């Protein structure tokens, strides 16, 4: 299983990559494998403030729909428009082209409460 060490993770299977004062968020390799073929990503929170653990969108696979929970608080600055036409990018490259939102970091201390790659790996049995 692919678990980049430079990312932070949640128990709900989201990842966070911090770049300066913004964070990229997506779902983990484990999550996309569990969901199966992703057919639609629905995120309508552009320019909205979201709180830590708040739902910021959904991801739809062939057999299920799953909520996306924000690992940190902030304002959604950008939604990955690439996913509109190619939601399968989440399956193919969950940590790269498959990122979902870019948000401002409202409270950097929240990042400290997230899981390391090692801790997340233990959680999912990797």
């Amino acid at each position: 299983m692919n678990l980049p060490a430079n990312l932070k993770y949640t128990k709900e299977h989201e990842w966070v990559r911090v770049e300066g004062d913004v964070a990229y968020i997506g779902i983990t390799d484990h999550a996309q494998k569990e969901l199966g073929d992703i057919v639609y990503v629905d995120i309508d929170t552009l320019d909205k403030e979201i709180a830590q653990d708040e739902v910021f969108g959904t991801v739809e696979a062939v057999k299920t729909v799953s909520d996306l929970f924000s690992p940190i608080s902030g304002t959604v600055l950008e939604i990955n428009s690439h996913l509109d036409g190619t939601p399968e990018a989440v399956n193919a490259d969950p940590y790269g082209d498959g990122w979902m939102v870019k948000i401002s970091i409202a409270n950097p201390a929240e990042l400290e409460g997230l899981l390391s790659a090692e801790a997340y790996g233990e959680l999912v049995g990797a």
Side-chain angles (χ1 to χ4, degrees), residues 15 18 35 38 44 75 90 108 120:
W15 58 262
V18 176
L35 287 168
I38 293 173
D44 64 356
T75 301
V90 176
Y120 180 74

Side-chain angles (χ1 to χ4, degrees), residues 90-109:
V90 176
N91 292 117
D93 189 10
Y95 303 117
D97 288 344
W99 65 272
M100 298 188 171
V101 294
K102 181 168 83 170
I103 73 170
S104 63
I105 300 172
N107 182 358

Side-chain angles (χ1 to χ4, degrees), residues 15-87:
W15 58 262
V16 179
R17 181 178 72 235
V18 176
E19 292 185 6
D21 61 351
V22 299
Y24 287 80
I25 298 170
I27 63 169
T28 65
D29 189 37
H30 173 78
Q32 68 82 17
K33 284 179 182 166
E34 291 291 310
L35 287 168
D37 293 336
I38 293 173
V39 295
Y40 187 66
V41 177
D42 182 26
I43 301 170
D44 64 356
T45 48
L46 185 63
D47 297 328
K48 293 184 180 168
E49 285 189 29
I50 50 176
Q52 186 176 38
D53 300 324
E54 187 177 339
V55 174
F56 68 86
T58 59
V59 61
E60 183 177 339
V62 174
K63 297 179 184 173
T64 188
V65 175
S66 240
D67 286 335
L68 299 166
F69 297 93
S70 183
I72 58 173
S73 302
T75 301
V76 177
L77 304 172
E78 185 178 343
I79 296 170
N80 186 352
S81 60
H82 176 67
L83 300 180
D84 287 345
T86 53

